[in-house]
Amino acid sequence: MAENKPSGPEGEKKTRQIAGAALPLYLTMIASSAASLVDTAVLGRHATASLAAFAVTLAVFSPATAAVSGAMRGVMPFVAAHKDDAGDTDDADGLLPVLRNGMWLGICVGLLGAAAVASVPLIGKAGGVPQTTLDELGVFPYILACSVLVMSIAATATSTLVGLGKGKAVMRSGMAGTAAAVILSLVLVGGVGSFDGLGLPGAGIAMLTSSLINASLAHIQLRRNTVLAGRPLRLGRPHPREVLKLAAVGIPLAATVLIKFAVLGVLAFSAARVNTDSAAVHSISLSLVNLMFTAAVAVGQATVPLMAAHVKTGDVQEVRRSAHAGVLVALGAVCGLALLLVVARTPVISLFTKDTGLHDKVLDLLPVVLLAVLADAAQAVFGFGLIGIKRTVPSLVVFAICYGLLALVALPVGAAGGLKALWLSLAGANLLLVAGQAFFFQRRSGSLTRPEPAPASA
């Protein structure tokens, strides 16, 4: 195993490349998360009923969009296989069908996600949501359903850009969409001057407009700043067999995301059953985890294109070295953010609560939270390693087993041991995921084969 470690000049070069590519992706995701907090804050000031309706819709919208994004990550290794900084014509000819088939996959999964979000009134009614909250929904779920479809098209472009190593292009389009979302939310929800605002529909319009801007700019970046410059990027005719190849990598990722969302929902329910304070501390801790875990997702995405050339040539040692370098960068980034959090713990936690009792409980839980997120970061990068070699079913299986067990024990563990025991269970599940993801990555990467040499010409 020693030969696979990211040591020496080559290993240092890989870690620098991954860190440099991951930074703009991380900044983009953090800015998007911050923008969603603006919606919550503005709607909370507008009307409590609007905020409740917003929360009900997001309970479906968030996993739907996360599943769409997960499915579209399956496009990245196919794109990265055609990456060519020199702009080779044959390479562009090979990449164009991947993009078009990826767009068809995006439309298919986007329509499924949009249908789920459009069904929020029915889902809410079946789930016992108060009628007053359902009456407040209005057209909001249908606006967000359109946003899901637009986001799926944007995800095709951003996954292509990530696969080509164009993280800064993703940042430019993402930041523009985020800025539009913030400005429009402030104006359309809360109003300005004599304009009283639109309330919840205004938030929907802001989110849809943001998605349209992000999708449009991402496709413009593809036309201008990649090997596809000057090529017609129209949808074209679908090729079902090729779309299914992309889906075979992407759909297990979408299913994995849904499993994680579902089980984290069980954990939140278990924490809420302990007492009100435990529910609040759990929510704050998850917010802190998301801030740190996003860095691992960015690093994982940056690792995939770095592996592509080695996957193409069947260089198992370099494929593994790339993934191990990604794990080190992710752990370093999470440790750095954790250290920053520990140093600035008082002002950071004060952003979430002014209750000194809750503040102390969050601090008491922090060591276990950090253990859980460090393990989650490591398993995530090994999971992206499996994406890079186009073997994502093992990730789905490992997640189904580890998080399935976590879901089974969450309620009794929370009842018997409280919040700390619940988070220790989450940390344990994540550590099992690290072992499972690393095992399958090591095993499946070993099956890569070098291409047959071309026969010598006479």
Side-chain angles (χ1 to χ4, degrees):
M1 290 285 292
E3 72 274 9
N4 298 324
K5 293 181 179 178
S7 56
E10 187 62 30
E12 292 175 4
K13 180 182 177 182
K14 286 184 184 295
T15 56
R16 287 196 302 269
Q17 286 177 321
I18 293 171
L23 181 59
L25 300 176
Y26 177 65
L27 294 176
T28 304
M29 288 185 277
I30 287 297
S32 179
S33 298
S36 67
L37 296 178
V38 174
D39 283 325
T40 304
V42 174
L43 281 168
R45 290 187 176 187
H46 177 78
T48 302
S50 295
L51 184 57
F54 180 75
V56 167
T57 308
L58 253 63
V60 179
F61 176 80
S62 296
T65 53
V68 168
S69 297
M72 298 318 298
R73 284 174 187 155
V75 175
M76 290 193 298
F78 294 92
V79 170
H82 294 281
K83 181 184 176 185
D84 181 43
D85 295 331
D88 184 81
T89 302
D90 293 333
D91 193 64
D93 289 339
L95 179 58
L96 194 56
V98 174
L99 175 60
R100 288 175 173 167
N101 291 317
M103 290 169 68
W104 277 109
L105 177 61
I107 289 171
C108 292
V109 296
L111 285 172
L112 291 174
V117 175
S119 301
V120 162
L122 297 176
I123 296 171
K125 189 172 184 178
V129 175
Q131 189 60 44
T132 52
T133 301
L134 295 177
D135 292 340
E136 190 70 22
L137 288 172
V139 299
F140 184 64
Y142 309 113
I143 297 174
L144 286 202
C146 295
S147 183
V148 172
L149 185 56
V150 174
M151 288 173 71
S152 70
I153 296 171
T156 308
T158 54
S159 293
T160 302
L161 289 168
V162 171
L164 293 173
K166 303 290 184 180
K168 290 182 180 178
V170 175
M171 184 174 69
R172 284 193 288 269
S173 58
M175 288 293 192
T178 298
V182 171
I183 294 170
L184 289 175
S185 292
L186 293 172
V187 174
L188 295 179
V189 177
V192 59
S194 59
F195 176 56
D196 293 332
L198 301 175
L200 194 58
I205 293 170
M207 294 170 74
L208 176 57
T209 304
S210 171
S211 300
L212 286 167
I213 291 173
N214 186 16
S216 300
L217 292 181
H219 279 272
I220 288 172
Q221 297 289 341
L222 279 176
R223 292 173 183 274
R224 292 182 178 177
N225 299 320
T226 70
V227 70
L228 294 172
R231 297 300 180 106
L233 302 186
R234 59 181 179 271
L235 192 58
R237 183 167 56 89
H239 294 83
R241 184 175 295 178
E242 299 304 314
V243 174
L244 287 174
K245 281 184 181 179
L246 301 179
V249 177
I251 297 304
L253 297 175
T256 301
V257 169
L258 291 176
I259 289 172
K260 190 170 187 178
F261 261 92
V263 177
L264 289 179
V266 174
L267 262 64
F269 180 69
S270 179
R273 288 183 60 181
V274 176
N275 54 52
T276 304
D277 281 2
S278 291
V281 171
H282 181 76
S283 178
I284 293 169
S285 300
L286 277 180
S287 297
L288 297 176
V289 163
N290 290 337
L291 179 69
M292 294 180 280
F293 179 69
T294 302
V297 175
V299 170
Q301 290 187 78
T303 303
V304 172
L306 189 65
M307 296 171 57
H310 307 308
V311 172
K312 189 187 299 186
T313 59
D315 191 336
V316 174
Q317 181 176 325
E318 287 302 316
V319 167
R320 291 173 176 172
R321 183 176 282 125
S322 298
H324 295 160
V327 171
L328 286 181
V329 174
L331 291 178
V334 171
C335 286
L337 290 169
L339 180 61
L340 183 62
L341 173 60
V342 170
V343 171
R345 56 190 179 276
T346 300
V348 170
I349 297 174
S350 296
L351 293 173
F352 298 93
T353 179
K354 299 297 182 183
D355 187 322
T356 55
L358 286 182
H359 184 282
D360 292 340
K361 289 177 180 178
V362 173
L363 288 180
D364 184 54
L365 190 63
L366 200 55
V368 184
V369 171
L370 295 180
L371 173 62
V373 73
L374 279 169
D376 208 5
Q379 70 82 18
V381 179
F382 279 120
F384 275 100
L386 286 166
I387 294 174
I389 61 174
K390 304 174 186 175
R391 303 287 190 276
T392 55
V393 172
S395 282
L396 175 58
V397 172
V398 171
F399 252 94
I401 294 172
C402 294
Y403 268 51
L405 292 172
L406 178 60
L408 290 175
V409 304
L411 294 179
V413 165
L419 194 59
K420 184 168 288 188
L422 196 62
W423 273 85
L424 281 170
S425 299
L426 176 59
N430 287 343
L431 287 169
L432 288 176
L433 277 175
V434 174
Q437 298 270 55
F439 169 77
F440 278 113
F441 173 74
Q442 196 76 7
R443 184 173 180 180
R444 295 302 173 92
S445 62
S447 66
L448 294 173
T449 56
R450 295 181 182 275
E452 292 292 331
S457 56

